[in-house]
Amino acid sequence: MRLIKVKAFLEREELIRQGKRVDRRAKVLEFGDDEVTEYAILSHRWIEQEVDYNEVVKLMKMDEEERSEIRQRDGYRKILESCEQAKKDGYEWLWVDTCCIDKRSSAELSEAINSMYRWYENSRMCYTYLHDVHGSSFPTALDHTNYYKSNGWPEWFSRGWTLQEMIAPRDVRFFNRYWHPIGDKRTLAPTLQTITQVPLYILKEGLYSNRPCVAQIMSWAANRTTTRVEDRAYSLMGLLDVNMPMLYGEGKKAFHRLQLEIIRTSNDQSILAWGCNEGEVRNGSILADDPSLFRDCNEMELMNRDEFTKYVGFCTPAEGLEDDRLGTFPITNRGIQIWLFLRPYVDSDTTFQALLPCCSRPSGPPVAIDLALWESNYCRYSGPLPHARGPLQLRQVYLRYQGTPHRNSTFEIDDSAIHEEGFTCSDTCPERLITGNTVTLSTTCPFRFRRYFCKQEFHFTVGFGQCFGQNWIHVVCETSDTISWIPYGLMRKSVPESMNKASGAACCQLYILQTPLPQSTWILQTSCVMWQSSRICGVKFEVFRDPGFGTVSGQWTCHFDVDGTDDPNRDWRGLMIRHCRSKQYRYGLLVDGVPMTFLRAPDDLKLGDYGHFTDFMDFRCEGNLFAELKSLCLKANITPRQPEISEMPGGFKLPAGLEILDESDTVRAYGHKFDCAIGLPNPLGLSLPSNDDFKSLLVSLSTRLTDRYLITAVMQCGGDPRYCGSGSKSRWYNIVKPFVWDRNKGAGSVVGEQLMMTR
C-alpha cells in the first residue's frame, strides 16, 4: 500500500508557508506493508475539492498559482490536519484514499478496493472526520434541519464506503469540522448502533467475534448510497469476505456478481431472503438488485440444523435432513442448483412458497419466499397469491440468477360498449397509476386492476399485470354477495401460468377471452391486441347475449396474426363481426379449430357474396368478392380454402329417435336453442382465406361497402336427419360483417354480435 510520510508532508508544507526553497525530489508518498507498518488511516466523506495522487506528488513542480489553488482546497486541508493529528499520536505513516491510490491505473485501483477492508482493519488508528458536525458532541437524535440531505444524521453515516471504515478498525476516533475530538467508537457504540443498526458486539469486538449472516450484513448498507452504482457492491466485499475484479460500467450487475461470489464461498441461504417485507413487487432473478432490498433483515439469524429440522418435521417427514443436500447449492449454467422445502399454492401448478433455514428474528419461524416456475427454472415471485398452500415437499430445483426481461407497458382500454349496456367503472387500484382509460405497468408496479358494476348486479374485475417481461390480463366475474375489495379470485389466477394466455404471449396478435357473467345470460368479451414495437396493448370490452352453444371456455384464444406494419393506429384488418339472427336456428362448429356459427342457406348463396339484411331479416345479395376482384383488375390471391370441419367440445346428444347410418362420417353441430345436436353427414366446406391479399381487398372495398355483410364460409352435407332425411343435401353458410366495413359504427352497437376471425 502507498502511505503518506507524515514528517515529510508536514515539513514540505512548512517550507512552503515560509517561502523557503523545497527539494522537489523529496518524496511524501512511499510504499509500505500493512502487516508490519504502524500507520493511521483517514475515514471521511468525499467532497468536490479533493486532492488526488498526481497533485500531491507533483505539487512542487507546479507554478505558484496552481500550487496555491490546491493548498486552499478543503480536501488538502483535510489531509494536512490528518497528518497533524497523526504526528500528535506518534504515527509516522498515514493512509488517505484520495491521494494514496493512483486511480489512473485500473490494476492499482482494483487492488486497493479489494484490500481496503484489510487496510482499515490493520490500521492502528482510524480518524473519522465529520465535515458537517460543528459542535463538540456527537448527535444523538435525528436532526432533519441540519442533516436534511442524509436522513437526519451526519452525511458520513449515509455513504456506502464508510460502513466498513467504521467496523474494520479496532480504534476509531471521531472529529468535528474543526478537528476537535468528539469521542471514540467504543464509548459512542450505543449511539452508533441507533444510527447504523450495527449490533453493539460488532462495534466493540469486531466482525469476526460472532459473524452475522449475510442478509444482516447487507441490511446495514440498505440505506447507504455511493456515487457510482457499482460501488454499492464493491464497498461490501470486505465485510462479506469476498474478492472480485472491478468492472466499472457494469451497473447493477456488480451487485449480482457479489452475491454469486458469496454463494461460491458460503452456504448461507439468508442471501436469498431479501425483500420479504418490501412493498415493491420484484420478479425474476433469485438475486437482489440492490442492498436496499435487505432493509428488513437487521435481526435475521441463521437456523442450525436441529432448529430447522424441528420446524420442518412438524410439516413433513424429515426426508433429506440428515444428509448434506441442504448444505450445498452450486452455481451451474442453468441456475443455482439447490434443495428446498417447497409448499405449492392452491390452484396453481407454478407458484410455491420456499422455506429457508434462517429466521427474521431470534427464535422465529423460517423465512419464506415465493417462487414461480418459468421456462424450467424457478424465479423469485412477489405478485398476488392466495393464502391457501399445499403440503411441504423437498425438491431439487434450479434457481434463475440471470436477469429476466423487464419493460414498461401500457394498456389502452375501450369500454364504451359496456357503458352503453349499463356498466360503470367503480374502483381502480391504485388510482394514481390508472389515468382515464390508460393503465401503465412497470417493473416496480406490475399489477393493477379495475372493477365494473352493473345495475342488474353483475360485477367483474379486470386485472392487468406483467410478469417476467410478459403482459397478462385476467377477468374475474363476481356477484354482489361474493365481491370484496381485494379480488382473491383474481389473485389466484394472476400468477405466471396466466401470462401466456394474454396479449403479451406473441408478437402482434389479437386475443379474445369470453367470460360468462354470473346469474345472467350475458357474455363479457375481452379483446386485446399488442403492437410489440410500442409496448401498447389495446383492450376492448363488449357484452352480448349467450348464444347457448356451451362453448365459452374462459380461456384466451388467438384469432389472427396482425401481419404487416407494426402500427397501433392501423385498422384491425381481417377482423370480423359475426351476425347472429335471433329468429333462425344457428349451429356451432369448429372450422380449422375456430368456433363458427352456421345457418341454413338458400341454394343461390355463394362463397364471397356480400349484401344486406331486409327488415324481415332476409339476406339480399348485392355482389360477389370474386367478381369485384376481376372488375378491379387486381392480382390478388383469394383462392378459397377447404377447411377442416369438426365438432365443438361438449357432451350434447342427438334427439331421441334419430339415428345416423354411418356415424364415423358425421359431425355434430350444436344448436343454440336446445341442448342437443344435429348430425351433418360428410360435411364439405369452402372458406375465404385470411392472407394479406384478402385483407387488402376488404380494405379497398371498405368505403363503398360500408355496413355490408359477407359470406365467408359455405358447407354442404350429405343429409340432415333432423330435417331433411338421410338422402337429402343441405347447404349452410357463415355470414359476418368485416370490421373495416363497420368501423364507423363499432362492434358493440349490434346486439348479439361478437368479434371473430374467419379461416
Side-chain angles (χ1 to χ4, degrees):
M1 64 187 304
R2 188 183 284 109
L3 293 164
I4 298 174
K5 194 173 183 178
V6 173
K7 182 179 179 180
F9 190 93
L10 293 176
E11 286 179 351
R12 185 179 73 173
E13 179 62 22
E14 184 61 26
L15 290 173
I16 295 174
R17 288 178 183 173
Q18 295 176 4
K20 295 182 179 180
R21 183 175 179 276
V22 179
D23 185 359
R24 295 186 177 185
R25 295 172 298 176
K27 293 183 178 181
V28 295
L29 294 174
E30 294 187 12
F31 283 99
D33 187 345
D34 63 288
E35 298 289 347
V36 297
T37 306
E38 293 188 357
Y39 61 92
I41 201 165
L42 177 66
S43 176
H44 62 109
R45 164 71 172 105
W46 279 42
I47 55 179
E48 293 182 1
Q49 295 182 323
E50 297 294 349
V51 178
D52 62 23
Y53 163 81
N54 193 54
E55 290 170 326
V56 168
V57 170
K58 296 184 177 181
L59 185 69
M60 298 313 301
K61 298 180 180 180
M62 301 175 182
D63 58 48
E64 185 175 349
E65 182 180 354
E66 187 177 2
R67 181 166 58 246
S68 176
E69 185 275 326
I70 291 175
R71 291 177 58 243
Q72 291 176 13
R73 293 181 193 174
D74 289 342
Y76 185 88
R77 305 300 304 173
K78 187 164 43 181
I79 297 172
L80 181 60
E81 294 290 351
S82 301
C83 288
E84 295 281 5
Q85 188 63 45
K87 180 181 178 181
K88 291 179 184 178
D89 295 333
Y91 296 106
E92 297 181 10
W93 304 95
L94 173 71
W95 189 84
V96 180
D97 55 0
T98 56
C99 63
C100 290
I101 305 172
D102 186 358
K103 300 176 184 63
R104 295 172 301 179
S105 169
S106 59
E108 183 174 333
L109 178 61
S110 180
E111 178 188 1
I113 291 177
N114 276 280
S115 306
M116 200 170 295
Y117 184 88
R118 190 185 78 240
W119 291 350
Y120 275 92
E121 186 179 38
N122 289 340
S123 67
R124 297 297 187 268
M125 175 66 66
C126 177
Y127 303 131
T128 297
Y129 177 64
L130 307 178
H131 73 282
D132 51 357
V133 175
H134 297 265
S136 58
S137 62
F138 207 71
T140 57
L142 286 169
D143 184 353
H144 290 289
T145 300
N146 291 319
Y147 309 115
Y148 63 92
K149 293 182 179 180
S150 50
N151 300 322
W153 298 106
E155 196 172 0
W156 184 83
F157 293 103
S158 69
R159 308 305 298 175
W161 288 105
T162 57
L163 176 62
Q164 67 174 3
E165 296 167 12
M166 177 186 68
I167 294 174
R170 291 184 296 275
D171 198 346
V172 180
R173 296 184 187 177
F174 293 89
F175 296 85
N176 69 4
R177 178 178 180 82
Y178 309 106
W179 280 92
H180 296 154
I182 297 175
D184 61 70
K185 182 168 70 170
R186 286 184 172 272
T187 57
L188 295 172
T191 303
L192 293 174
Q193 182 187 32
T194 300
I195 299 173
T196 65
Q197 301 298 310
V198 177
L200 277 175
Y201 76 90
I202 297 293
L203 294 169
K204 292 182 177 181
E205 305 299 331
L207 191 61
Y208 298 103
S209 60
N210 184 14
R211 190 177 185 87
C213 67
V214 169
Q216 186 179 154
I217 295 175
M218 293 282 198
S219 73
W220 304 338
N223 296 318
R224 294 174 177 259
T225 59
T226 58
T227 303
R228 299 290 297 268
V229 173
E230 296 86 352
D231 286 337
R232 294 278 277 161
Y234 302 158
S235 63
L236 290 169
M237 291 193 302
L239 290 166
L240 296 163
D241 197 24
V242 296
N243 296 97
M244 63 184 193
M246 308 298 100
L247 296 173
Y248 282 103
E250 64 177 330
K252 290 185 177 181
K253 289 183 179 179
F255 192 61
H256 288 179
R257 282 202 300 129
L258 175 70
Q259 294 168 86
L260 292 176
E261 288 298 326
I262 295 169
I263 292 172
R264 288 188 180 98
T265 60
S266 168
N267 62 357
D268 185 341
Q269 291 190 25
S270 72
I271 196 172
L272 309 177
W274 54 270
C276 293
N277 298 316
E278 286 289 318
E280 293 183 350
V281 179
R282 295 171 185 259
N283 299 311
S285 171
I286 194 66
L287 304 178
D289 286 338
D290 191 83
S292 62
L293 294 173
F294 289 89
R295 183 175 290 108
D296 296 321
C297 300
N298 57 299
E299 291 187 280
M300 189 162 291
E301 297 180 353
L302 295 179
M303 300 178 73
N304 60 43
R305 181 180 294 271
D306 292 338
E307 290 177 304
F308 193 53
T309 300
K310 181 179 179 181
Y311 183 89
V312 175
F314 290 130
C315 307
T316 183
E319 174 192 356
L321 293 179
E322 300 304 324
D323 57 30
D324 197 38
R325 281 188 282 182
L326 300 180
T328 59
F329 41 104
I331 299 172
T332 73
N333 61 348
R334 177 177 171 182
I336 299 172
Q337 183 180 1
I338 189 172
W339 286 88
L340 289 175
F341 280 96
L342 301 182
R343 181 180 283 126
Y345 281 96
V346 173
D347 296 334
S348 173
D349 297 328
T350 60
T351 51
F352 304 84
Q353 184 187 73
L355 299 185
L356 304 177
C358 55
C359 49
S360 59
R361 62 182 187 278
S363 302
V367 171
I369 62 173
D370 292 325
L371 302 176
L373 181 61
W374 184 61
E375 293 185 348
S376 77
N377 280 17
Y378 288 75
C379 303
R380 188 65 187 270
Y381 181 69
S382 304
L385 287 166
H387 294 296
R389 293 179 291 272
L392 210 58
Q393 307 165 2
L394 181 62
R395 293 190 191 180
Q396 184 184 50
V397 299
Y398 288 87
L399 303 179
R400 184 183 177 93
Y401 61 83
Q402 301 90 345
T404 55
H406 292 299
R407 305 172 182 174
N408 292 348
S409 297
T410 300
F411 293 84
E412 294 184 350
I413 303 169
D414 178 3
D415 53 8
S416 57
I418 64 171
H419 285 312
E420 294 177 2
E421 299 293 344
F423 285 86
T424 57
C425 180
S426 61
D427 303 315
T428 60
C429 179
E431 293 183 3
R432 64 183 178 86
L433 292 175
I434 300 182
T435 305
N437 277 356
T438 300
V439 178
T440 301
L441 302 177
S442 65
T443 56
T444 55
C445 301
F447 173 67
R448 299 292 165 251
F449 69 85
R450 64 193 304 171
R451 175 173 285 125
Y452 291 88
F453 286 79
C454 184
K455 58 187 177 182
Q456 287 89 359
E457 298 300 314
F458 309 141
H459 312 280
F460 67 92
T461 301
V462 183
F464 304 89
Q466 182 188 81
C467 192
F468 308 133
Q470 293 182 320
N471 294 329
W472 52 260
I473 303 173
H474 189 70
V475 179
V476 173
C477 294
E478 306 153 300
T479 57
S480 58
D481 58 344
T482 62
I483 199 166
S484 59
W485 171 243
I486 300 297
Y488 289 107
L490 178 63
M491 293 169 66
R492 284 197 295 272
K493 293 297 182 183
S494 300
V495 289
E497 66 258 35
S498 300
M499 64 191 176
N500 285 328
K501 302 171 185 175
S503 58
C507 176
C508 302
Q509 286 190 336
L510 171 70
Y511 287 78
I512 305 290
L513 174 68
Q514 294 180 351
T515 312
L517 294 181
Q519 301 178 5
S520 75
T521 60
W522 288 91
I523 297 293
L524 168 69
Q525 179 165 279
T526 307
S527 308
C528 57
V529 64
M530 174 171 286
W531 291 269
Q532 189 70 22
S533 64
S534 61
R535 297 299 297 172
I536 295 177
C537 181
V539 183
K540 184 171 186 176
F541 298 121
E542 299 169 282
V543 289
F544 57 90
R545 295 293 180 183
D546 186 351
F549 293 147
T551 60
V552 177
S553 65
Q555 301 293 323
W556 287 99
T557 57
C558 174
H559 280 246
F560 76 100
D561 296 336
V562 182
D563 299 320
T565 178
D566 191 8
D567 180 7
N569 297 315
R570 67 177 291 180
D571 290 324
W572 293 4
R573 293 185 293 177
L575 189 63
M576 301 294 182
I577 303 170
R578 183 165 64 203
H579 177 69
C580 298
R581 300 173 61 187
S582 59
K583 295 183 179 181
Q584 186 174 355
Y585 294 120
R586 307 188 303 275
Y587 296 91
L589 288 167
L590 292 180
V591 178
D592 284 342
V594 176
M596 279 193 183
T597 301
F598 280 89
L599 308 174
R600 288 296 300 271
D603 293 336
D604 57 346
L605 277 184
K606 301 181 297 298
L607 183 69
D609 283 352
Y610 62 82
H612 67 279
F613 282 92
T614 67
D615 293 339
F616 298 98
M617 298 304 291
D618 295 321
F619 180 73
R620 293 292 175 88
C621 178
E622 300 177 24
N624 186 274
L625 279 189
F626 295 98
E628 293 286 351
L629 190 62
K630 290 182 179 179
S631 65
L632 293 173
C633 297
L634 296 177
K635 296 181 179 180
N637 177 20
I638 58 169
T639 304
R641 300 175 59 253
Q642 186 172 341
E644 178 183 352
I645 299 173
S646 57
E647 299 178 357
M648 292 281 196
F652 296 102
K653 297 181 179 179
L654 291 173
L658 292 179
E659 297 180 357
I660 300 175
L661 297 178
D662 187 0
E663 192 167 341
S664 62
D665 294 327
T666 301
V667 174
R668 291 174 172 81
Y670 300 109
H672 80 289
K673 287 195 173 183
F674 35 79
D675 293 339
C676 67
I678 62 172
L680 301 178
N682 301 308
L684 295 175
L686 289 176
S687 67
L688 294 173
S690 58
N691 56 28
D692 285 340
D693 285 347
F694 172 64
K695 296 171 188 177
S696 298
L697 179 61
L698 295 182
V699 174
S700 66
L701 299 175
S702 59
T703 56
R704 187 162 57 87
L705 300 183
T706 300
D707 205 24
R708 297 302 190 268
Y709 291 84
L710 175 67
I711 306 296
T712 61
V714 294
M715 179 177 59
Q716 181 171 294
C717 304
D720 183 344
R722 186 178 180 87
Y723 295 104
C724 305
S726 59
S728 302
K729 300 288 185 180
S730 60
R731 289 174 56 83
W732 302 81
Y733 72 97
N734 172 263
I735 188 165
V736 301
K737 182 187 294 182
F739 184 79
V740 293
W741 294 0
D742 192 59
R743 56 185 172 181
N744 295 326
K745 294 180 59 176
S749 63
V750 182
V751 176
E753 293 178 350
Q754 57 182 315
L755 300 177
M756 66 167 292
M757 173 59 190
T758 59
R759 297 179 62 180

